[in-house]
Amino acid sequence: MTLRVVILLSGRGSNFQAIAEARLPIEIAAVISNRPNAAGLDYARARGLTAIALDHTEHPDREAFDALLADEIERHRPDLVVLAGYMRILSAAFIARFEGRLLNIHPSLLPMFPGLKTHERALAEGVKIHGCTVHFVTADLDHGPIVIQAAVPVRADDTPGALAARVLAQEHCIYPQAVQWFAEGRLEINHGRVNLKGDPTSQSVLSTGT
Ligand code: GRF
């Protein structure tokens, strides 16, 4: 049976695009954005996918909006919900409804730099390696079980924009890979850690970019 995936996004949607173009054994059942003018929705429509705008500004109560959003997601019977640049904190009730089938991508090597402005903070700290992480979402913001990470070197002359672009190129590699592993039923969460079934070392989860 093909894995049914619902994508949530708020903007550009380049990670969604990478997943959509990766020829994965999945069906993208719907793409939902909390921002009606998100470019990701236009791309979804252009691909003939179901694209839905649910404007959070019309629902000031976070709990109520998240309940509405969760109902909409469930209408599409997803096996997996993919956060692809969804720029809103999700309520605990929402996360509980989808826990175990909710993935996020974060532009840092978690647990370093949770939250926003990760590239600026990496440069300010002078780290020599930066990167991105795909993880399962739990109630602990940006701290769920890690599926895959990619690292990039930080250059002496880096700007936040240049670093972000190099990290983003890696995001486009690791997110489709994570979704593929999920689709193959290879991701097993054990005591907050992800084991990759069929990989005796469970270490093939780090790729290094340039
Ligand atoms: C990415 O950097 C992702 O890591 C973060 O938000 C950004 C979304 O970019 N969560 P896009 O919309 O996928 O292009």
Side-chain angles (χ1 to χ4, degrees):
M1 225 178 58
T2 313
L3 190 90
R4 291 176 65 81
V5 176
V6 168
I7 308 268
L8 293 193
L9 51 77
S10 301
R12 183 175 56 182
S14 70
N15 276 288
F16 152 51
Q17 207 167 321
I19 290 167
E21 290 172 3
R23 299 174 185 276
L24 300 174
I26 63 170
E27 180 188 338
I28 298 178
V31 179
I32 304 175
S33 174
N34 62 313
R35 295 205 177 273
N37 55 3
L41 284 182
D42 296 334
Y43 176 77
R45 286 188 203 102
R47 277 189 84 95
L49 297 170
T50 302
I52 297 159
L54 265 186
D55 189 348
H56 71 274
T57 62
E58 290 171 7
H59 305 271
D61 178 327
R62 183 185 300 276
E63 304 287 327
F65 176 75
D66 276 7
L68 202 78
L69 177 64
D71 288 345
E72 180 59 44
I73 292 169
E74 267 171 2
R75 256 192 285 285
H76 304 282
R77 296 177 286 108
D79 303 300
L80 174 65
V81 178
V82 167
L83 304 180
Y86 183 71
M87 300 306 286
R88 264 175 74 80
I89 291 175
L90 291 162
S91 61
F94 179 98
I95 292 168
R97 264 170 91 167
F98 297 103
E99 200 158 343
R101 52 181 174 135
L102 185 57
L103 287 178
N104 182 43
I105 189 153
H106 183 78
S108 80
L109 291 172
L110 291 173
M112 274 191 294
F113 311 125
L116 298 173
K117 297 205 175 292
T118 56
H119 310 302
E120 286 87 338
R121 287 156 63 205
L123 290 176
E125 291 292 345
V127 297
K128 303 301 181 199
I129 295 173
H130 186 44
C132 47
T133 304
V134 177
H135 65 97
F136 282 98
V137 177
T138 62
D140 200 0
L141 182 69
D142 293 334
H143 275 97
I146 291 171
V147 176
I148 183 169
Q149 294 184 303
V152 303
V154 178
R155 296 181 186 153
D157 60 351
D158 256 335
T159 61
L163 186 53
R166 273 201 327 287
V167 170
L168 189 65
Q170 292 304 308
E171 294 183 31
H172 297 162
C173 299
I174 64 171
Y175 218 173
Q177 176 67 80
V179 172
Q180 173 154 358
W181 283 337
F182 189 97
E184 292 168 349
R186 291 182 64 193
L187 301 180
E188 202 172 49
I189 305 175
N190 202 344
H191 298 295
R193 295 173 59 154
V194 177
N195 294 324
L196 182 62
K197 285 195 231 166
D199 173 8
T201 61
S202 259
Q203 286 303 314
S204 70
V205 288
L206 179 78
S207 73
T208 306
T210 50

